[in-house]
Amino acid sequence: MLDKLMGKASVATKSSYGIERFLDEGEEVIRVFKFVRDELIITSKGIFNVDAQGITGKKVEYKFFPLKALKYVSIETAGTLDRDFDLKIGVEGNTVVVQNTSFSAPLTLKVHKNDTEMGMELYKIIKGML
C-alpha cells in the first residue's frame, strides 16, 4: 500500500476493475499497468484507460482507444532531482476543450524513476503497436 501512495506502479495480468466484461470476442489482455488507483490495459485491439475518480474511487471512467487511434508514444526521462518521468501516448479521440478550442490530449502517465524498467516495457509495447 505504501508503494502505491508513493507513486510506485505495478504490472499485472488481470485488471482490478473487471475490464474483461468490455472485451470483444477474441480480444485478449496483453498487459495491465497499475498506477495508484488508475490502470492502463493493453489488449490485442487497443488500450483501455481506467480512471478512478473522486475521494473513494467508486466512480470509474473507462476509455478505450482502438489501435488505429494510437498516433505516437513519447518518454521524458527523470532528471537528477525529478522523482518520476513522463510517458505520453498520443491518441485520437481524447478530446479536451479549453477556451473555445478543442484538441486531442495525450494520455499522460507519471512513472516513478524506481519503476523505469516497467515504464520502458510499456513504451516498447505501445511503440510496437504503432
Side-chain angles (χ1 to χ4, degrees):
M1 181 68 172
L2 182 60
D3 285 343
K4 288 187 177 187
L5 291 174
M6 297 300 292
K8 190 168 178 73
S10 62
V11 179
T13 55
K14 190 171 181 180
S15 170
S16 302
Y17 296 100
I19 202 74
E20 294 76 17
R21 64 189 159 164
F22 297 115
L23 299 180
D24 290 337
E25 189 172 323
E27 186 174 10
E28 297 178 18
V29 172
I30 296 170
R31 189 82 85 239
V32 177
F33 294 90
K34 297 176 182 249
F35 299 90
V36 188
R37 297 188 306 180
D38 300 339
E39 292 181 354
L40 189 78
I41 298 114
I42 300 173
T43 76
S44 55
K45 293 188 175 185
I47 295 175
F48 280 95
N49 183 39
V50 182
D51 180 15
Q53 301 172 1
I55 295 172
T56 63
K58 291 193 185 255
K59 180 178 179 183
V60 180
E61 179 180 18
Y62 300 87
K63 288 184 182 178
F64 178 74
F65 300 96
L67 290 175
K68 65 182 180 184
L70 303 180
K71 300 301 178 194
Y72 69 88
V73 62
S74 71
I75 205 164
E76 182 180 319
T77 60
T80 304
L81 300 175
D82 294 333
R83 296 192 58 173
D84 55 4
F85 68 85
D86 295 328
L87 187 123
K88 294 179 183 174
I89 304 166
V91 291
E92 192 174 288
N94 193 30
T95 306
V96 175
V97 178
V98 178
Q99 296 181 349
N100 297 328
T101 187
S102 63
F103 63 95
S104 192
L107 301 176
T108 303
L109 306 166
K110 296 269 186 203
V111 180
H112 193 277
K113 67 180 176 181
N114 290 343
D115 297 314
T116 298
E117 187 176 314
M118 187 222 39
M120 292 304 290
E121 178 186 357
L122 175 56
Y123 177 84
K124 288 177 183 177
I125 291 172
I126 300 297
K127 184 175 176 260
M129 295 171 83
L130 297 173

